[in-house]
Amino acid sequence: MAREPRKPIQKDDVLTLLGYALPVLGGLLGVVYVNINHMDFINPVWAVGGGAILGWVAARVMRKALG
Amino acid sequence: MAALDQTQVKEGVDQETVDAVREVGTYKYGWDTDIEMEYAPKGVNPDIVRLISGKNEEPEWMTEWRLAAFERWTQIDEPNWAMVSYPKIDFQDQYYYARPKSMEEKPKSLDEVDPKLLATYEKLGIPLKEQMILAGVEGAEDMPAEGRKVAVDAVFDSVSVGTTFQDELMKHGVIFCSISEAIREHPELVKKYLGTVVPVSDNYYATLNSAVFSDGSFVYIPPGVRCPMELSTYFRINAENTGQFERTLIIADKGSYVSYLEGCTAPQRDTAQLHAAVVEIIIEEDAEVKYSTVQNWFPGDENGKGGIYNFVTKRADCRGDRSKVMWTQVETGSAVTWKYPSCILRGDDSQGEFYSIAITNNYQQADTGTKMIHLGKNTKSRIVSKGISAGKAQNTYRGLVSMHPKAKDSRNYTQCDSLLIGDKCGAHTVPYIEVKNNSSRVEHEATTSKVDEDQLFYCRQRGMDEEEAVALVVNGFCKDVLQALPMEFAMEAQQLVAISLEGSVG
């Protein structure tokens, strides 16, 4: 049986992925920020949580903007 | 080691192997240089103070400053509040000035330099290119050198033998020289800053140092300059029955940056020797200074005989807004350590950090810590102290965090961990916290633990012997501090941690 040709990555795929990737990336950036600026005495929980929420918001905005 | 010396070496075993085995568990830098020395008469009195001042060709105001310090020293008592005990020091039964005779006049070529002095540097692991500069050979500075990154000021007993890369640093406006040279060449800077951070009558040993300091290092970083290389000082005590009293003065002007390293070693002797140093750091607006120390003085033998009495006063004054200072220290040597590098956070938004590892083995005693004095608004400080005790050693952390009324919204975080190896050693923690306003926050965490048997078992079942396993656990325990060290020191410090604990297990 012949295999179906692979579908090219669609715009929807990218937009769906953004919704997951950006919050994770935001959380990771929060960890990096806490480690680099250790004299700011930021609670890591807030930094990771804040980063994740900012990532989620960014993903929402991008999805809206890109239709 | 005596037993090993008497052991007959089997046929076929080469000398290198025999030497390597003999070195295990011994102090690596315990040898001395048989070099012709010039001494001042024993003891300390106004004549000795004048003699030291005269040897350094100092101006009159400096001699007067020293004499005033000596006068003050005779009026104050030796402190006894530290948790260390040692036989009473006879301050009149030691030399306060000793220099190699070959350093009477600066040598002009390598041929003129005492070969023993050169061999000393080679043995201490200072590269050959630098060896010529350290020996004070004129013109050696212009020779190309691969991968040079650290300028060195080498202090041998009471004199600075040489300072490397001075010309290159001068191109950036950085002054790096011995303090005796600075007093002669830059008196306006020395006069303005000397004794302003550690006053003459600050404490017993600082006052003694003010009277009899023979040499040390001087650094001035002009405004807006990032020092192009790391600066360092290497202190070597060689002469017997001689104290070393060096003074370091670092001035970081507005917006400048410098990383400074300090190392020290001394020969292995049965009699204790005194080392009383003072380090003053002035940090102006937006400037940053990192000061790292690997202290490896002779710690005394396994029975507590000999070693260096290390009484040091180190203080940084963050005078400008947004200024930063970072002290990092690895204390593995000396029989008695009495040392509290401090930060005066005077400027608003200034920051002070202190990272310390203090390892004591056999009969070593360490009473060390820091002082964070918050005076400016929104100032921040962080203290991470790791103390490791083994054998019959005593290790004390003594720290002060003081938030003054004007230090609004200031923060401090203190982490103070002690690790015990064996059942005859001691770890003590003495934190002082003073908060005189309602908006500041101070956090303090402290732990005391023994090396975890499970961790050792886990390591040993993977083929490590017990000493390797302990070294691995201790290195993990010290990770936070080792990471704060510059690359040049980090590897050395990691090995030193393992070596210092050799013989502590079993």
Side-chain angles (χ1 to χ4, degrees), chain B residues 49-349:
Chain B
V49 174
R50 277 192 203 95
L51 186 137
I52 293 169
S53 190
K55 292 266 183 202
N56 289 343
E57 296 165 27
E58 288 172 358
E60 192 56 32
W61 64 266
M62 193 67 229
T63 314
E64 291 303 322
W65 193 83
R66 285 172 177 276
L67 287 167
F70 178 75
E71 182 63 28
R72 181 82 184 109
W73 182 70
T74 56
Q75 294 162 8
I76 52 179
D77 296 322
E78 202 176 337
N80 56 9
W81 44 261
M83 209 175 280
V84 290
S85 64
Y86 51 90
K88 195 159 175 57
I89 301 166
D90 185 354
F91 288 95
Q92 299 300 340
D93 189 32
Q94 61 177 322
Y95 298 105
Y96 285 78
Y97 188 85
R99 78 169 172 197
K101 274 198 171 167
S102 55
M103 288 307 299
E104 226 171 286
E105 277 180 38
K106 198 176 180 181
K108 285 191 168 50
S109 77
L110 201 61
D111 299 334
E112 290 177 31
V113 176
D114 193 332
K116 287 173 185 168
L117 205 56
L118 289 176
T120 303
Y121 295 133
E122 201 176 333
K123 219 170 166 183
L124 288 170
I126 295 168
L128 192 68
K129 161 70 181 78
E130 288 190 355
Q131 216 184 84
M132 286 174 71
I133 303 165
L134 291 176
V137 176
E138 284 175 9
E141 294 88 342
D142 303 326
M143 290 167 66
E146 290 302 316
R148 59 187 196 191
K149 287 274 185 252
V150 184
V152 185
D153 180 33
V155 178
F156 191 89
D157 284 325
S158 303
V159 288
S160 170
V161 174
T163 312
T164 64
F165 308 122
Q166 273 181 308
D167 291 347
E168 199 174 323
L169 289 166
M170 195 51 101
K171 282 178 200 160
H172 297 84
V174 176
I175 303 169
F176 180 43
C177 60
S178 67
I179 192 105
S180 55
E181 194 181 328
I183 292 167
R184 288 193 303 269
E185 308 292 331
H186 310 282
E188 70 295 340
L189 282 173
V190 177
K191 214 171 177 176
K192 187 178 172 188
Y193 293 106
L194 188 74
T196 59
V197 184
V198 180
V200 166
S201 55
D202 188 82
N203 67 69
Y204 188 78
Y205 302 107
T207 310
L208 176 64
N209 175 285
S210 300
V212 299
F213 77 87
S214 43
D215 224 327
S217 303
F218 175 84
V219 177
Y220 174 75
I221 317 289
V225 171
R226 191 178 172 88
C227 191
M229 63 183 85
E230 290 190 314
L231 310 181
S232 77
T233 308
Y234 193 91
F235 298 107
R236 174 77 180 166
I237 295 179
N238 185 66
E240 201 168 0
N241 210 5
T242 304
Q244 193 178 58
F245 306 90
E246 84 274 358
R247 192 140 190 141
T248 303
L249 180 59
I250 299 173
I251 304 145
D253 219 322
K254 288 177 186 175
S256 62
Y257 168 85
V258 65
S259 171
Y260 194 89
L261 319 173
E262 183 192 75
C264 41
T265 55
Q268 186 166 344
R269 292 211 173 89
D270 287 346
T271 50
Q273 280 178 280
L274 179 63
H275 172 255
V278 172
V279 176
E280 293 181 274
I281 306 178
I282 294 110
I283 309 153
E284 300 288 0
E285 211 174 287
D286 293 307
E288 186 178 351
V289 174
K290 285 186 181 177
Y291 196 105
S292 312
T293 307
V294 173
Q295 188 263 98
N296 191 18
W297 295 117
F298 175 53
D301 66 11
E302 59 273 21
N303 301 312
K305 218 172 177 188
I308 301 288
Y309 293 166
N310 190 34
F311 303 119
V312 181
T313 307
K314 290 181 171 181
R315 197 169 299 158
D317 189 356
C318 293
R319 290 186 183 171
D321 294 349
R322 297 170 299 282
S323 52
K324 289 180 192 170
V325 64
M326 182 170 153
W327 294 104
T328 311
Q329 59 171 30
V330 179
E331 302 279 325
T332 61
S334 77
V336 176
T337 303
W338 185 96
K339 183 180 179 185
Y340 315 93
S342 316
C343 303
I344 302 170
L345 303 170
R346 203 184 297 272
D348 292 347
D349 299 295

Side-chain angles (χ1 to χ4, degrees), chain B residues 406-474:
Chain B
K406 286 182 182 171
K408 304 273 184 215
D409 300 314
S410 294
R411 290 285 302 259
N412 165 264
Y413 170 76
T414 302
Q415 185 189 338
C416 176
D417 300 326
S418 303
L419 187 71
L420 296 162
I421 302 168
D423 55 5
K424 291 185 177 66
C425 51
H428 318 275
T429 307
V430 192
Y432 298 86
I433 299 171
E434 298 171 356
V435 183
K436 294 172 185 166
N437 68 64
N438 293 330
S439 57
S440 294
R441 286 169 68 182
V442 177
E443 295 169 57
H444 183 96
E445 288 177 20
T447 63
T448 304
S449 56
K450 290 190 83 170
V451 172
D452 190 357
E453 288 297 326
D454 288 347
Q455 285 178 343
L456 289 183
F457 176 72
Y458 184 84
C459 293
R460 292 192 68 189
Q461 72 173 185
R462 273 151 182 81
M464 288 182 186
D465 65 35
E466 198 152 351
E467 281 197 343
E468 272 181 302
V470 169
L472 192 73
V473 171
V474 170

Side-chain angles (χ1 to χ4, degrees), chain A residues 38-41, chain B residues 353 355 380-381:
Chain A
H38 61 271
M39 288 304 282
D40 286 347
F41 296 106
Chain B
E353 290 174 76
Y355 298 94
K380 290 167 187 165
S381 65

Side-chain angles (χ1 to χ4, degrees), chain B residues 476-496:
Chain B
F477 176 74
C478 300
K479 194 183 74 181
D480 294 349
V481 179
L482 291 171
Q483 279 175 345
L485 278 170
M487 196 62 88
E488 283 80 5
F489 269 14
M491 287 302 289
E492 190 191 331
Q494 205 167 336
Q495 287 165 1
L496 206 56

